[in-house]
Structures are given as structure tokens and as C-alpha cells.
Amino acid sequence: MISLALPNGHSMPALGLGTWQLRDSACEDAVRTALELGYRHIDTAERYGNEREVGAALAASGVARGDVFITTKVWPDHFRASDLRKAAAESLRRLRTDYVDLLLLHWPSKDVSLAETVGALNEVAAQGKARAIGVSNFSVELMREAASLSQAPIACNQVEYHVLRPQQALLDYARGEQVVITAYSPLAKGRLADHPVLVRIGAKHGKSASQVALRWLVQQNGVAVIPKASREPNLRANMQLFDFSLDDSDLRELASVTPL
Ligand code: NAP
């Protein structure tokens, strides 16, 4: 499994399991199966209402805490400093852990100043409750602002990124600042599974269209992917990304796919 270096000296596995919309036992089952298959990076959020299930699956898995990278996110309703501190503590309690590897601001907020929120995020990190901090759904401009307000490096921006949703400006900025881009909805919520261009490229490599979609992302510098899968064959397939490469002609074809 390829890992991406973070500014705190730790690293993030380039492939993680997304858990949005996985609830109750379906979430616990998916996380347990993923850990059994070898996933070592789980993406959740207080907003997903499934941190408790993620925590239960991690506890039952027997995988050492230090061997799993856990990301969670604070929802904008909790961006006031005292609310953020409380939200982070609640997330840790539900996840049954003393720290998360990465704590993100889920979306920008118009209601609370970024200075207040980033200040509280830094406090949580300084207390060792988040090893790294970052943002999600932030523009380049907001990333610059967050970085200027933060003592700890803004290690990651998690954004929607896939073949149908280019993110060149963000990538250019992130690479210059050593910020990891985590691609969410990397399969365009499953829509890429039937895309004729990806199906054709996949056939050439003995891979599925979804594997091509994920490979296209992890083949790029500083990009991680967090596909969500609940079915075991999909969980397995999404791990098989590191035994093939897309060549220049594949990349040209993918670049010509019409964006959304
Ligand atoms: P996604 O990962 O693009 O697509 C998930 C869908 O693809 C599911 O229906 C899944 O089916 C299917 N799938 C998975 N692997 C497949 C394969 N190999 N072949 C065919 N189909 C496959 O969508 P997403 O859940 O929107 O995004 C992934 C994660 O990103 C989320 O779970 C969440 O953790 C994160 N996210 C973050 C934000 C944010 O604001 N930060 C927003 C959206 C998402 P099955 O479940 O049936 O296996």
C-alpha cells in the first residue's frame, strides 16, 4: 500500500474506506471487512452519524490503533471554539480512541470566523487529540487563509475529485504547499462504473472502470482516495490499484472525458 507523507512526519495510506451513508450494522460490517482485507485508513465524520460503529469495528478488529489511520471531521455547527473542543472530544469518545490521525473542518462556514475555528483546531492538535489537521471543501483562497491562521500545517484538503470533476487549481496549490488532496466521491458515487471510456481502458489492463477511476487518482502526486464500498467484492476490487499503471495514451483519453 502506498502512503503519502504528512508534514507531521506521519503518513497517510493513499487508499482509505469512505463511510458516508453507511449506518448501523452495515457500517460496522463494512469497516470490519475492510480491516480484515487490509485497509488501514478509515474516513468518517461526526455528521455521518457512524463514528460509534467505526469505533466498535476498530475495537473488535484486533488491529493495533497505531496501525490504522482515522480521519474525522467537525461539522460547521460546531465551529465556535468551545463547540469545536466539545465536538472533537465527543468524536474521540465515539471512536473509542485518544486521538485521530486527521481532524478536518468539514465545510467552510459563513457564520464563524476562520480565525476562531482554526485556533480551536490547533488547540485540539496541541493537546495530542489530532495528529494532523486539515480542511474539506475549501477553495484555494480559503486554504491560503486557513494556512496563514494556523500554527500547525494544514495537512489535507478533502474535496470531490474524479475524472468528471477536475481540480487543477487546488492540486497546483496543494503540491506547492505539501498539502495532501484526498479525493472524495472518487467513483462519482458509483457512476463511473459504467463509463464507456473507463470500461475500455480497464479492459486493456484487465481492470474494471472503477479501478481505472481510482488508479487515475492515486497515480497523481499527493492524492489519496477514499471510495465507499459496502459490498465485499467492491471492497476487494478497490484495493487492487497498485499492480498496474495508466499509460500516456490512457491519460490523454481520460483528460478528454467531458467534465460534469
Ligand atoms: P464513491 O466512493 O464515489 O462511490 C460509492 C459507490 O460506488 C457505492 O454505491 C459503492 O457501492 C460503489 N462502488 C464502490 N466500489 C465499487 C466498485 N469497485 N465497482 C463498482 N461500484 C463500486 O461515493 P461517496 O460515498 O460519495 O464518496 C466516498 C467517501 O468520500 C464517502 O463515503 C465519505 O467518506 C467521503 N465524502 C466526503 C465528503 C465531504 O464533504 N468531505 C462528501 C462526500 C463524500 P457499494 O456500497 O454497493 O459497494
Side-chain angles (χ1 to χ4, degrees):
M1 175 82 66
I2 290 175
S3 285
L4 303 175
L6 296 179
N8 61 3
H10 291 276
S11 57
M12 172 201 251
L15 168 70
L17 174 69
T19 65
W20 180 42
Q21 291 176 323
L22 282 172
R23 305 297 287 265
D24 306 318
S25 60
C27 179
E28 222 173 305
D29 289 349
V31 175
R32 190 183 329 106
T33 306
L35 291 168
E36 278 167 18
L37 292 173
Y39 283 75
R40 291 294 179 267
H41 171 180
I42 310 291
D43 182 82
T44 181
E46 60 164 322
R47 184 67 173 183
Y48 299 170
N50 63 15
E51 288 175 316
R52 208 179 301 279
E53 288 73 15
V54 170
L58 282 163
S61 70
V63 177
R65 172 66 190 89
D67 291 340
V68 191
F69 190 100
I70 306 175
T71 301
T72 196
K73 316 181 191 86
V74 184
W75 192 246
D77 287 357
H78 298 147
F79 278 6
R80 292 255 169 238
S82 60
D83 295 335
L84 190 144
R85 286 192 285 268
K86 246 183 272 165
E90 286 294 300
S91 285
L92 294 183
R93 189 180 55 75
R94 287 188 293 264
L95 287 164
R96 305 192 202 179
T97 183
D98 298 333
Y99 69 94
V100 285
D101 297 275
L102 181 60
L103 183 62
L104 303 179
L105 303 179
H106 205 143
W107 282 88
S109 164
K110 289 196 174 72
D111 300 329
V112 184
S113 80
L114 195 54
E116 176 172 351
T117 306
V118 167
L121 195 61
N122 270 267
E123 237 182 80
V124 170
Q127 290 167 351
K129 295 174 184 167
R131 283 200 167 161
I133 56 173
V135 296
S136 178
N137 299 298
F138 271 42
S139 63
V140 169
E141 196 186 350
L142 279 172
M143 284 179 77
R144 272 209 187 91
E145 195 183 333
S148 75
L149 293 166
S150 187
Q151 282 176 314
I154 298 296
C156 172
N157 188 7
Q158 183 179 125
V159 294
E160 181 173 355
Y161 183 30
H162 47 74
V163 172
L164 305 176
R165 177 64 59 96
Q167 290 286 13
Q168 199 53 52
L170 274 178
L171 284 167
D172 291 344
Y173 170 80
R175 286 186 184 132
E177 300 295 320
Q178 277 157 354
V179 175
V180 167
I181 293 289
T182 299
Y184 78 61
S185 304
L187 301 169
K189 300 191 167 71
R191 276 173 296 156
L192 288 172
D194 302 322
H195 195 291
V197 172
L198 280 75
V199 169
R200 192 169 57 241
I201 294 172
K204 181 174 135 185
H205 295 281
K207 295 285 177 178
S208 69
S210 297
Q211 289 169 318
V212 170
L214 297 175
R215 177 69 208 181
W216 181 76
L217 291 162
V218 295
Q219 200 167 306
Q220 301 174 32
N221 258 345
V223 176
V225 290
I226 47 168
K228 173 258 181 185
S230 49
R231 283 175 292 155
E232 186 170 333
N234 288 344
L235 283 166
R236 280 185 192 280
N238 296 347
M239 291 191 78
Q240 310 306 316
L241 309 178
F242 303 101
D243 55 355
F244 78 114
S245 293
L246 300 171
D247 60 32
D248 288 346
S249 78
D250 301 332
L251 296 176
R252 271 195 303 277
E253 253 196 286
L254 289 167
S256 70
V257 165
T258 313
L260 286 175

